[in-house]
Amino acid sequence: MNIIPSTPAAITLDALESAGWQAWIVGGWVRDSLMGRPPHDADIATNAPWRETARVLRAKGLAVHETGTKHGTVTAIVRGDAVEITTYRVEGPYSDSRHPDHVEFVDDIRLDLARRDFTMNAIAFHPNRGILDPFGGAADIEARTIRAVGDAHRRFAEDPLRVMRAVRFASQMGFAIEPSTRQSAHELAPLLERVAKERIGAEFTKLLLGAHAGRLIEDELAVVGVAVPELAALQDFKLKSKRHAYDLLGHLAHSVDAAPIDEAQRWAALLHDIAKPHANHDHAQRSAQQAQDIMRRLRVKRRVVAEACDAIAWHMTSFAPNVEAVRWFTALLGGDARRARNALTLQRSDALGHGPGNEQRAREVDIELRMLDSLISNGEALGVGDLKIDGNDVAQRSDARGKQIGQTLNALLAAVVEGEVPNERNALLASIPKAESEACEQIFQKRLEKFLTKR
Ligand code: ATP
Ligand code: MG
């Protein structure tokens, strides 16, 4: 594990140690380096009290922000990178399962490593002193095992979020959770209810983005089903049609794996059928609503919630791979290509999530996505916003008022899509009277109808 002397971490270590303190790189950076995965931000642990850390680093001309001094953390900006430096500490009880009630600063790196969650995360590294690994973390990494540091039961009881973290690391790395650690995790999973929802949500998102998410969702339902009780409720729900190789939970898990590695798409894949047991004809809408409740509860980012729920609401509107159908669908979504792409991408994950034999449908969606791309690159009008006239033009030249104006514009867009009128100002102005007479609600739904495929 070579660390180049000029990296931000090495510069920080050197500054602290030249001033007579001891410092190590700890946590995810060491673990990822040992795994041969590209490590990201290095965390540093030191016996220097945070005020000393700040003083020493500022004396070297570095900017230091007091980002978490209650817990002994400051953040230095070193060559443009943020480096977090935390004083060696042990933690008091987590009476609210949110934050430790207090932390106690200590002088021994081994005590600091002992308060960390899993052996693979409790390894320290120093460019000269090498690896310090009191809990056998390197061997566990080698054996692809996630093992609690110390007594698993006690560690999970101390901070039940660790139960979720075990599953999310397993999803990211494909490691097995060591049997007694796993058993304790299952026993103590109910304590997750006391943990702050945003902490659970952050770990859940990481779980979903992992390469092994689908398998963990099924195998660790004892944990995942506490974080999202709506998933536990699906357990025994069988899907009826022949197309389904899996039960509902299995279908959702396979859909997650088929989805691109994107927060909104993975959340959408997980929750797209969440209301299926209680709804039938309108399960897309109802699932979108329930997904919104779940994601908001877990404090998922607003943008991700909005995108995921929009895709869910439209996941059942599938149609034959025909360019006109793609245009009607996109028009229906306000001419917003991003929304259309989101919905289609979920339709693709959904198809593949039904198991082998559904590749043909996924290929059709791929064709639709390519059609959408070429419509965009050809500069075709996708929504009324792309028309060369707007609502003021319609209002000035017709009796249309209020929502009739929008409906007239919709009729003009329909005429453009059908090739009856070019998207040119004068031609559109001349077509206003005809469009006004044809204006009706749901014009795009009606045009799309003949392309819709039964699901
Ligand atoms: P990632 O690569 O996802 O950031 P990470 O291991 O760096 O993984 P963080 O959540 O950034 O995870 O935490 C940094 C380190 O702090 C961990 O490696 C672990 O040693 C320790 N840690 C974090 N959360 C906990 C916790 N809840 N209980 C005990 N130790 C923890
Ligand atoms: Mg980290």
Side-chain angles (χ1 to χ4, degrees):
M1 205 174 12
N2 277 320
I3 117 150
I4 307 145
S6 63
T7 58
I11 291 169
T12 311
L13 290 181
D14 199 54
L16 286 165
E17 300 212 328
S18 312
W21 301 101
Q22 188 191 60
W24 298 82
I25 304 180
V26 289
W29 190 95
V30 185
R31 178 198 66 226
D32 291 344
S33 302
L34 285 170
M35 285 177 67
R37 298 202 319 177
H40 53 109
D41 36 61
D43 291 324
I44 300 217
T46 180
N47 63 347
W50 71 264
R51 287 177 205 281
E52 268 302 301
T53 303
R55 193 187 60 74
V56 168
L57 297 179
R58 282 174 183 146
K60 292 276 178 190
L62 301 170
V64 178
H65 303 290
E66 299 176 6
T67 45
T69 53
K70 235 178 81 188
H71 299 103
T73 303
V74 297
T75 303
I77 306 302
V78 190
R79 304 213 166 178
D81 276 2
V83 180
E84 275 203 355
I85 307 111
T86 303
T87 309
Y88 300 159
R89 65 177 204 218
V90 293
E91 290 171 357
Y94 284 65
S95 54
D96 64 351
S97 293
R98 281 161 202 262
H99 306 289
D101 296 341
H102 56 87
V103 301
E104 193 183 316
F105 299 114
V106 295
D107 195 51
D108 183 353
I109 178 70
R110 287 167 188 272
L111 294 175
D112 182 86
L113 294 175
R115 59 111 181 151
R116 293 173 183 272
D117 47 8
F118 304 110
T119 60
M120 65 184 182
N121 290 341
I123 309 171
F125 172 75
H126 186 280
N128 306 329
R129 297 189 294 273
I131 279 191
L132 180 67
D133 180 16
F135 305 102
D140 281 335
I141 289 172
E142 187 72 28
R144 303 175 62 76
T145 300
I146 296 168
R147 183 195 310 272
V149 172
D151 180 64
H153 205 271
R154 223 197 72 216
R155 302 309 310 286
F156 289 139
E158 228 168 51
D159 177 8
L161 184 71
R162 292 170 187 155
V163 169
M164 231 357 255
R165 284 173 60 85
V167 177
R168 84 94 155 155
F169 283 120
S171 169
Q172 289 177 318
M173 301 168 186
F175 286 15
I177 305 171
E178 178 275 323
S180 77
T181 298
R182 181 165 183 260
Q183 196 192 329
S184 298
H186 288 193
E187 282 165 17
L188 294 178
L191 297 185
L192 270 172
E193 273 166 28
R194 298 188 204 153
V195 174
K197 295 286 181 266
E198 62 267 31
R199 293 179 81 206
I200 297 179
E203 294 294 336
F204 210 108
T205 296
K206 289 183 179 178
L207 185 168
L208 284 175
L209 295 175
H212 306 269
R215 179 168 60 76
L216 272 300
I217 288 162
E218 285 195 273
D219 292 355
E220 303 302 331
L221 190 65
V223 173
V224 172
V226 178
V228 179
E230 290 85 346
L231 288 173
L234 302 182
Q235 199 166 12
D236 299 318
F237 187 80
K238 298 281 173 239
L239 289 167
K240 285 178 212 87
S241 104
K242 285 203 294 288
R243 278 189 306 123
H244 302 115
Y246 316 115
D247 63 9
L248 184 50
L249 185 73
H251 166 57
L252 296 177
H254 283 85
S255 300
V256 168
D257 284 342
I261 299 179
D262 168 272
E263 287 183 36
Q265 282 296 327
R266 290 251 157 153
W267 273 107
L270 178 73
L271 300 175
H272 73 273
D273 282 341
I274 194 76
K276 203 153 193 173
H278 336 282
N280 242 326
H281 60 284
D282 62 345
H283 88 263
Q285 281 305 329
R286 295 239 226 148
S287 295
Q289 187 56 55
Q290 207 173 341
Q292 186 182 62
D293 296 342
I294 294 168
M295 295 172 79
R296 282 192 178 163
R297 191 201 307 148
L298 294 176
R299 311 284 187 272
V300 176
K301 284 178 254 172
R302 280 169 131 26
R303 178 194 59 82
V304 174
V305 177
E307 265 181 43
C309 295
D310 193 43
I312 293 173
W314 292 99
H315 84 273
M316 291 297 287
T317 309
S318 55
F319 47 86
N322 172 295
V323 70
E324 220 181 298
V326 172
R327 291 189 77 171
W328 297 130
F329 183 64
T330 309
L332 201 47
L333 297 183
D336 188 335
R338 192 184 159 82
R339 288 182 66 199
R341 194 176 287 126
N342 258 329
L344 290 173
T345 304
L346 176 59
Q347 291 187 16
R348 185 181 189 283
S349 314
D350 182 13
L352 293 174
H354 283 302
N358 293 281
E359 296 79 6
Q360 179 56 29
R361 173 64 199 138
R363 276 193 289 273
E364 286 179 11
V365 181
D366 286 334
I367 294 169
E368 291 162 5
L369 285 164
R370 278 201 296 278
M371 287 171 167
L372 184 58
D373 288 337
S374 61
L375 285 167
I376 295 166
S377 55
N378 292 342
E380 301 285 355
L382 297 174
V384 293
D386 302 322
L387 292 175
K388 294 288 195 282
I389 65 171
D390 62 19
N392 290 327
D393 297 312
V394 173
Q396 278 165 24
R397 288 171 178 77
S398 74
D399 302 326
R401 290 297 172 268
K403 71 176 183 184
Q404 286 175 313
I405 294 175
Q407 289 179 8
T408 303
L409 285 169
N410 285 351
L412 285 167
L413 177 64
V416 169
V417 170
E418 285 170 334
E420 284 171 14
V421 180
N423 185 15
E424 289 161 11
R425 186 168 168 80
N426 285 331
L428 290 167
L429 291 176
S431 305
I432 288 175
K434 181 159 185 278
E436 194 190 355
S437 72
E438 283 166 2
C440 69
E441 284 203 72
Q442 305 195 318
I443 188 164
F444 303 131
Q445 285 97 314
K446 283 180 185 148
R447 297 291 201 281
L448 181 61
E449 226 148 65
K450 71 172 180 207
F451 300 100
L452 291 179
T453 41
K454 277 268 166 288
R455 306 262 334 262

